[in-house]
């Protein structure tokens, strides 16, 4: 009796393939830390910070415990607090607005562009006006390099300069991407990134870093990272956090950074295959002029009238995982509904939350597997 054999599930992100590629080099890196036993502040921390700064062309890097803490540390170092407004896109992961709210400041949510999903400079200007009308003091803007593509940093910088705001770039998904031939990490006052395992450059736990050219900010960040310490660690000079990256994670990241350029190139090959294979069936992501992406996610938009739940179920039946980033924009989520949005509302964010869906994306996605995914998408769309 013949039976249709169910196809093997495809991993959404294949960390196993990367682990196999790195092999003994990762084992040796971790073993060195286990030998010297400097689990916090070991020599790998300094080495990683130096290599991260060199990679993106920044003068300084400060490693830390997560991408969220990277954002929070900069805001704390800059004295952001009650009465201040920080402008954030709504269509992003909650950490962007969460870090602002944790300081006691007010996140003011603005809309994003329909084609790139990144912050809309026109909505940013409206958000600043909204903040002022509410009696808040606009202090900063946090553009997000969403899904791996750089935001339009020149346009954002122009608005920020005109309004006296500092720019904190949230490159949690975009580290390794570039804008106008400059790597992220050199735009604005500081850039925050994440090394969560699913990120293009990920460690084996939580981790993050801040890139900056500002020496004064560097010293404040180092203080905030360890309880706000000064010259004497028992005489703390400001409020701080316990936000250190542990040495084992630094050792892992040093090894992964060695192959990161090659993985970025591979991700772009995968993205091109998706774009060619899915053209006409769904709305594929677009790269803005002057921008590159590390393709943290490959996020499509379903055609009007296509039931997303049914699409996701059909893909699952074919062994193809999908993820929705983000089914609710921040201003629609329970914890963040109390915060203001830019005048005119956030219609693009709301539309995106209703029709986006992300496909498997990593540097080790072979052509045959990707063809299977593309075929499944086309079949699920046509029903």
């Amino acid at each position: 009796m013949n039976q249709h054999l169910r196809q093997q599930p495809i991993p959404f992100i294949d960390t196993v393939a990367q682990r196999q590629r790195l092999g003994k080099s990762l084992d040796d890196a971790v073993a060195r830390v286990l030998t010297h036993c400097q689990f916090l502040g070991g020599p790998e921390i300094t080495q990683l910070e130096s290599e991260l700064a060199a990679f993106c062309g920044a003068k300084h890097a400060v490693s830390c415990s997560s991408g969220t803490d990277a954002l929070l540390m900069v805001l704390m170092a800059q004295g952001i607090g009650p009465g201040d407004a920080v402008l954030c896109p709504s269509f992003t992961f909650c950490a962007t607005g969460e870090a602002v709210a944790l300081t006691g400041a007010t996140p003011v949510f603005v809309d994003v562009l329909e084609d790139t999903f990144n912050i809309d400079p026109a909505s940013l200007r409206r958000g600043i006006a909204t903040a002022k009308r509410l009696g808040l003091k606009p202090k900063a803007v946090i553009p997000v390099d969403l899904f791996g593509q750089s935001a339009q940093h020149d346009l954002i910088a122009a608005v920020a300069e005109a309004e006296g705001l500092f720019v904190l770039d949230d490159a949690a998904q975009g580290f390794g991407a570039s804008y106008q031939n400059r790597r992220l990490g050199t735009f604005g006052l500081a850039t925050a990134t994440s090394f969560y395992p699913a990120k293009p450059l990920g460690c084996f736990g939580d981790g993050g870093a801040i890139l900056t050219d500002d020496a004064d900010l560097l010293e404040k960040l180092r203080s905030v990272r360890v309880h706000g310490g000064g010259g004497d660690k028992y005489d703390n000079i400001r409020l701080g956090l316990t936000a250190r990256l542990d040495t084992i994670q630094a050792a892992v990241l040093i090894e992964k950074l060695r192959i990161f350029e090659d993985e970025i190139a591979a991700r772009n090959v995968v993205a091109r295959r998706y774009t060619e294979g899915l053209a006409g069936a769904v709305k594929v992501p677009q790269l803005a002029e002057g921008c590159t992406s590390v393709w943290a996610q490959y996020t499509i938009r379903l055609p009007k009238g296509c039931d997303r739940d049914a699409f996701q179920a059909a893909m699952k039946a074919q062994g193809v995982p999908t993820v929705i980033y983000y089914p609710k924009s921040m201003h629609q989520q329970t914890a963040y509904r109390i915060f203001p949005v830019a005048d005119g509302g956030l219609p693009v964010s709301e539309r995106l939350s209703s029709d986006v869906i992300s496909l498997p994306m990593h540097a080790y996605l072979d052509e045959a597997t990707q063809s299977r995914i593309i075929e499944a998408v086309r079949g699920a769309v046509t029903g």
Side-chain angles (χ1 to χ4, degrees):
M1 181 176 177
N2 292 328
Q3 286 187 321
H4 177 70
L5 296 177
R6 187 181 180 89
Q7 295 190 79
Q8 283 292 106
I10 295 169
F12 189 75
I13 296 173
D14 193 350
T15 54
V16 174
Q18 185 197 56
R19 172 73 182 92
Q20 291 171 341
R21 174 182 178 178
L22 287 166
K24 191 173 183 297
S25 68
L26 273 178
D27 298 338
D28 291 347
V30 173
R32 285 192 291 272
V33 180
L34 296 178
T35 298
H36 66 57
C37 292
Q38 297 177 60
F39 300 116
L40 293 171
E44 288 83 358
I45 295 292
T46 303
Q47 180 182 347
L48 174 67
E49 291 177 341
S50 176
E51 292 183 5
L52 289 172
F55 177 85
C56 64
K59 290 181 180 178
H60 312 290
V62 179
S63 61
C64 61
S65 49
S66 71
T68 306
D69 280 344
L71 292 168
L72 181 57
M73 285 169 60
V74 176
L75 296 172
M76 291 176 69
Q78 288 297 103
I80 297 299
D84 296 335
V86 178
L87 289 298
C88 311
S90 184
F91 188 66
T92 185
F93 184 59
C94 71
T96 310
E98 179 182 49
V100 177
L102 287 172
T103 67
T106 300
V108 177
F109 295 116
V110 303
D111 215 351
V112 296
L113 296 165
E114 195 101 32
D115 52 354
T116 65
F117 311 152
N118 280 326
I119 195 167
D120 179 355
S123 184
L124 172 59
R125 286 189 287 269
R126 291 194 297 272
I128 293 168
T130 301
K132 291 178 178 177
R133 177 172 54 77
L134 295 174
L136 299 168
K137 291 178 283 188
K139 290 288 187 69
V141 54
I142 307 181
V144 177
D145 306 301
L146 198 70
F147 301 148
Q149 178 176 185
S150 167
Q152 293 179 303
H153 286 285
D154 284 353
L155 298 179
I156 295 161
V159 176
E161 184 176 3
E163 295 289 346
L165 314 182
F166 71 84
V167 177
L168 167 55
D169 183 23
D170 183 345
Q173 299 178 21
F175 185 76
S178 62
Y179 177 72
Q180 303 295 350
N181 297 313
R182 283 170 55 194
R183 277 256 167 84
L184 298 181
T186 59
F187 294 94
L189 175 68
T191 298
T193 194
S194 167
F195 302 128
Y196 181 78
K199 294 294 191 289
L201 180 63
C203 55
F204 286 169
D206 275 320
I210 302 154
L211 295 306
T212 185
D213 288 346
D214 190 296
D216 182 58
L217 178 63
L218 172 69
E219 293 309 310
K220 291 177 182 176
L221 291 171
R222 287 173 172 168
S223 171
V224 170
R225 180 172 60 180
V226 189
H227 299 290
D232 179 343
K233 75 175 188 176
Y234 296 114
D235 180 19
N236 300 294
I237 59 177
R238 57 174 56 85
L239 292 178
L241 305 167
T242 306
R244 294 166 293 204
L245 181 71
D246 73 69
T247 309
I248 286 177
Q249 301 302 343
V252 168
L253 286 165
I254 288 167
E255 298 307 312
K256 289 193 175 192
L257 192 58
R258 298 189 203 286
I259 63 169
F260 191 39
E261 292 272 19
D262 183 50
E263 289 186 331
I264 293 171
R267 283 173 174 272
N268 275 275
V269 169
V270 171
R272 284 194 292 272
R273 286 200 299 250
Y274 268 142
T275 298
E276 292 167 3
L278 294 173
V282 296
K283 187 169 184 179
V284 296
Q286 302 294 313
L287 282 179
E289 185 177 354
C291 294
T292 69
S293 179
V294 291
W295 300 102
Q297 307 297 342
Y298 191 90
T299 302
I300 61 174
R301 297 184 68 183
L302 297 177
K304 190 173 182 179
C306 181
D307 184 288
R308 187 166 60 180
D309 291 340
F311 175 89
Q312 196 164 35
M315 295 291 285
K316 184 177 180 181
Q318 295 296 316
V320 181
T322 56
V323 178
I324 299 169
Y325 303 104
Y326 301 95
K328 291 183 179 181
S329 292
M330 284 198 70
H331 72 284
Q332 298 173 308
Q333 297 176 30
T334 303
Y336 298 95
R337 290 175 189 159
I338 62 173
F339 297 114
V341 303
D343 290 340
L346 311 179
V348 176
S349 295
E350 292 171 10
R351 283 198 295 273
L352 292 174
S353 286
S354 71
D355 66 16
V356 295
I357 195 161
S358 297
L359 305 177
M361 166 54 79
H362 54 82
Y364 303 93
L365 189 55
D366 63 81
E367 191 167 0
T369 303
Q370 196 171 4
S371 294
R372 179 181 152 195
I373 296 168
I374 291 168
E375 182 181 354
V377 171
R378 287 187 164 275
V381 167
T382 58

